[in-house]
Amino acid sequence: MAGFLYMSDLNAVISPSIIPTSLTYVIVVRCGPDQQSQALSAFRFTEELLLQGHQVLRVFFYQQGVHLASGLRVMPQDELNLTTLWQQLSLDYGLELAVCIAAALQSGIVDQQESSRYELAGASLASQFTLVGLGQLAAASAECNRLVSFGG
Amino acid sequence: MSCLMTLSHAPYGSQCAKESLDAALILAAFEQQPAILFVDEGVLQLLPTSQSPASHKHIGKIISALEIYDINDLWVEQESLDRFGLVADELSQTVNVIARSKVARLCAQYDQHLVF
């Protein structure tokens, strides 16, 4: 089909929105900051997708991955802070960073609203990240061409 | 979109089994009933057990809820059963047993593959 488009309709090739090789992705990050190499792979892969012009509908942080959404973690100066990398990628591309709310609450990752609701001492969710239900993973998976999951 | 989920974690000891089954139920609630393939220690989730550790929810109860959510396409890898000396008849659910050599072919039948 892709080959057929290429041969028959030059406009289809020129317009970036219908380049047959551009796909929509959903990324699931299940590994946390303590699994540095896997978590970094998830980031690099997503970054590369965006650089190559693919669309990333949503990055979904689940299980240990929710710790990447903490704005209260401090890394040694010579080590990568994956949270700030994700934040910058989100700012650059308007990328949606969705965090499973059930997993986040259990890990002390709360936004101002949840902090008030449960009368906690403060909020810890890093900016650019949003707390959403697990249903948002299901909704996104129904829409994407590819769903890629990181974490063992 | 058809989805296959592979569950490879033991029922207790971490939250992984619980969280992966939660994802399966949510997919089903969105009318995307996944097929589920149990491999490695994941097959232990299918053992009929009467009690769970106090620190965990009863995985067997969640497993028995799969049917209510119309998740009926359950697969178990033969080699994983062998590793624990189990046979399919001993499991809490009716499952399809599949040889490891055919798992790749199974995966290829689905649009998406979510691995836990």
Side-chain angles (χ1 to χ4, degrees):
Chain A
M1 183 61 199
F4 177 73
L5 264 179
Y6 184 83
M7 296 299 289
S8 66
D9 187 354
L10 264 181
N11 289 326
V13 181
I14 293 161
S15 166
S17 62
I18 39 176
I19 289 177
T21 52
S22 171
L23 297 171
T24 56
Y25 282 79
V26 169
I27 307 295
V28 183
V29 183
R30 296 173 36 239
C31 42
D34 57 334
Q35 293 143 291
Q36 193 77 17
S37 60
Q38 285 188 59
L40 182 61
S41 296
F43 171 79
R44 293 279 187 239
F45 182 76
T46 309
E47 184 183 42
E48 190 60 29
L49 286 178
L50 294 165
L51 282 170
Q52 292 196 14
H54 295 290
Q55 200 188 348
V56 179
L57 295 180
R58 180 171 291 146
V59 183
F60 195 87
F61 297 87
Y62 191 39
Q63 297 186 309
Q64 294 301 306
V66 300
H67 289 283
L68 290 163
S70 170
L72 297 183
R73 194 161 26 79
V74 179
M75 296 300 290
Q77 276 188 355
D78 56 348
E79 290 183 30
L80 283 174
N81 186 335
L82 281 162
T83 303
T84 56
L85 290 177
W86 279 115
Q87 286 174 307
Q88 192 56 52
L89 197 65
S90 171
L91 286 168
D92 291 347
Y93 290 92
L95 180 63
E96 183 183 338
L97 305 177
V99 186
C100 172
I101 188 166
L105 289 179
Q106 289 181 50
S107 302
I109 315 291
V110 290
D111 59 12
Q112 199 58 56
Q113 190 183 342
E114 298 303 317
S115 176
S116 306
R117 187 203 310 271
Y118 295 102
E119 298 176 1
L120 305 177
S124 55
L125 186 73
S127 60
Q128 301 302 122
F129 291 85
T130 47
L131 299 180
V132 302
L134 193 49
Q136 293 300 311
L137 172 61
S141 81
E143 291 171 29
C144 66
N145 299 125
R146 297 282 186 276
L147 181 145
V148 184
S149 171
F150 291 85
Chain B
M1 287 288 173
S2 61
C3 179
L4 175 70
M5 289 180 70
T6 294
L7 309 191
S8 63
H9 288 268
Y12 305 112
S14 79
Q15 290 295 321
C16 201
K18 158 88 168 44
E19 288 172 329
S20 55
L21 289 169
D22 281 349
L25 296 181
I26 289 280
L27 281 169
F30 279 66
E31 298 189 345
Q32 301 173 57
Q33 275 73 9
I36 303 182
L37 169 67
F38 295 88
V39 299
D40 298 335
E41 293 174 359
V43 300
L44 302 176
Q45 296 180 32
L46 292 167
L47 280 180
T49 49
S50 55
Q51 282 192 318
S52 67
S55 52
H56 288 75
K57 282 206 171 178
H58 197 297
I59 292 297
K61 286 183 181 162
I62 307 176
I63 292 281
S64 60
L66 295 177
E67 196 179 356
I68 302 166
Y69 281 78
D70 288 332
I71 300 175
N72 300 311
D73 208 0
L74 305 181
W75 296 82
V76 174
E77 190 200 51
Q78 178 69 60
E79 282 79 351
S80 301
L81 286 178
D82 294 346
R83 185 179 151 204
F84 293 103
L86 297 168
V87 292
D89 291 349
E90 293 176 282
L91 305 177
S92 65
Q93 305 294 307
T94 309
V95 295
N96 304 299
V97 178
I98 185 170
R100 182 169 295 167
S101 59
K102 294 187 174 150
V103 166
R105 208 176 300 163
L106 179 71
C107 295
Q109 291 171 17
Y110 295 88
D111 296 321
Q112 296 177 348
H113 188 194
L114 202 48
V115 184
F116 282 88

